[in-house]
Structure formats: C-alpha cells, structure tokens
Amino acid sequence: MSQRPLSPHLQIWRWGPHMLVSILHRATGDGMALVGLGVLVWWLGALASGPAAYETFTDIMTSPLGWVVLVGLSWAFFTHMMSGLRHFVLDIGAGYELDTNKFWSIASPVIAIVLTGVFWAVILRVWESQ
Amino acid sequence: MGNGTSIGRVRGLGSSHHGAQHWLSHRFTAITNLVLMSWLIVSFAVMGDYSYSSVSAWLSHPVSALAMILLVISLFWHAKMGLTVLIEDYVHEAGTKFGVLMALNIAAIGGGAFAVFSIIMLVFGGQA
C-alpha cells in the first residue's frame, strides 16, 4: 500500500470556497451522524423513560455546553442542508460555470448561518410569548 | 471464478450494475430527510412549551409518532451511508476497515431500533 503513488492532497491546492463547502458538507454530515443522532436517541429514550429522565436530558441540554451542542447541531443541519441542495443542482449537471459555482459555494454556508439565526429567533420569540 | 479467459478473471469482481445503488440511496434518503426534518424544525420552532407533558403529548399523537419513526429510519440510513464513505476514504487497512464498518452497522441498526422502540413505548404507554 505504501509503495503506491498518491494523488496530491489538500495542502497542494490553493484554498477556494468550493473546497470549503465540500469539506463542510462532510464535516457537518458526519458530525451530525456522531453527535446529533446520539442526542436524538437520548431525547427519545428519555421521553420513553418518563419525566425524571426527560428532566435530566433538558437540564444537561440547557447547560452552557448543552446550548453549544444544540446551536452547533442546528448550524450543522442548515449547513448540510444547503450544501446538500447545492449537490442536487450539481447532480443534474447544472451550476458548473466558474462564477455560478463560486457564488453558490459562498452563498450556501452564508444562507445556512442566516437560517440558523432565524430558527433560534423564532424559537425564542414563541417561547417568550408563552 | 475462472482464471483462463479474460471475462472469467473479472466476473464477480466489479459492481455489476449495483454501483449506483449506494449513490441513489443516499439521494433518496436525503430527500426524505429534507421533508421530515422540515416538519421537525417547524414543529420545534412553534412548540413554545418544551415540558415533558407537552412534548410527550405531541410525540404520542399518531401522526407525529409515525413521522418521527420514518425520520429516525431515514436519518440512520443516510448517516450510516455517509459514515461508510468516510471510513472507506480514510481507513485503508483491510482488517481495521472491516472492524470499523461492522461497528458502524451495529451502532446504526442498534441506535435506530432503540429510537423506534422508544417512540412505540411512548405511544403505547409504558409510562403513565
């Protein structure tokens, strides 16, 4: 294996937004697979176990570290969703023109941050109004 | 597998028309994730009250429970495929790769089954 030639890896290339959006897609996807599904399974298991287990879950998830995890997961979701939608467009063979490709490579993660902000703004607004 | 003719040497080694299956399944589950996560995100956003009684009542409703079960299956399936590609890209030693992929299969099916079972327990009232 070590004798076989390797293609140039990350450090060879000059960074561009398409590389960032590509690695963000993998990082957020696999991050959600490892952390997000763990939180989801814990949340559902706590709901099935009863009020005491659910309170333990909400106590930890509303601690400072818990908030970082929840906000981080929501950001990861919207980032993965936006770059995933970009992939669907690329899959049908569109959006490969240099300018278009660069534009959506930058726009996808930026829109994701906006969506994350909107999501939490709505949550806090509904929460406070109750 | 034969070792005489050229076709005999390659038969059974390639994807034999199944190469697109993983790729397509990833897209199919991406679409179901998009639809069902949109439902979950909107549900969370408008929920307001995140107490046990409120959230368990919401999830016990047949429509929510069924959507959540479908979401769990779609998410775990999609995540398992994503992690499979990650492992195939970065774990090169055959024995290690086999072990990690097996652990992934156990975790994905075990975690998904636990989640679905939890929803069913909540709906059919293991707890009062």
Side-chain angles (χ1 to χ4, degrees), chain A residues 36-55:
Chain A
L37 289 184
V39 173
L40 178 69
V41 162
W42 183 14
W43 178 62
L44 292 172
L47 278 168
S49 299
Y54 186 76
E55 198 182 327

Side-chain angles (χ1 to χ4, degrees), chain B residues 2 17 22 25 35 40-41 45 53 60 68 77 83 85 95-96 99 117-118 121 125:
Chain B
H17 305 292
H22 180 106
S25 299
V35 172
L40 185 65
I41 292 274
S53 56
S60 299
M68 188 64 81
W77 191 354
L83 285 172
V85 174
T96 313
F117 191 70
S118 295
M121 265 188 72

Side-chain angles (χ1 to χ4, degrees), chain A residues 1 26 30 33-34 37 40-41 43-45 47-51 54 77 81 85 88 91 119 122-123 126-127 130, chain B residues 23 27 31 34 37 41 45 48-50 52 55 59 68 76 79 82-83 85-86 89-90 111 114 118 122 127:
Chain A
M1 188 64 87
R26 169 163 282 189
D30 290 326
L34 295 171
L37 289 184
L40 178 69
V41 162
W43 178 62
L44 292 172
L47 278 168
S49 299
Y54 186 76
F77 169 75
M81 183 187 82
L85 288 171
F88 274 130
D91 284 344
F119 172 66
V122 172
I123 281 201
V126 175
W127 197 7
Q130 295 224 337
Chain B
W23 190 92
R27 268 71 186 167
I31 292 168
L34 182 66
M37 279 302 294
I41 292 274
D49 178 7
Y50 300 96
Y52 177 79
V55 175
L59 191 57
M68 188 64 81
F76 270 87
L83 285 172
V85 174
L86 179 80
D89 276 358
Y90 296 118
F114 177 89
S118 295
L122 185 73
Q127 290 281 327

Side-chain angles (χ1 to χ4, degrees), chain B residues 102-117:
Chain B
M102 187 175 72
L104 170 63
N105 274 268
I106 292 170
I109 294 171
F114 177 89
V116 169
F117 191 70

Side-chain angles (χ1 to χ4, degrees), chain B residues 66-101:
Chain B
L66 179 60
M68 188 64 81
I69 288 171
L70 291 172
L71 177 61
V72 164
I73 294 168
S74 182
L75 283 179
F76 270 87
W77 191 354
H78 188 84
K80 185 201 155 254
M81 282 190 290
L83 285 172
T84 299
V85 174
L86 179 80
I87 292 164
E88 287 169 350
D89 276 358
Y90 296 118
V91 181
H92 298 303
E93 206 272 308
T96 313
K97 191 196 297 197
F98 177 85
V100 177
L101 284 174

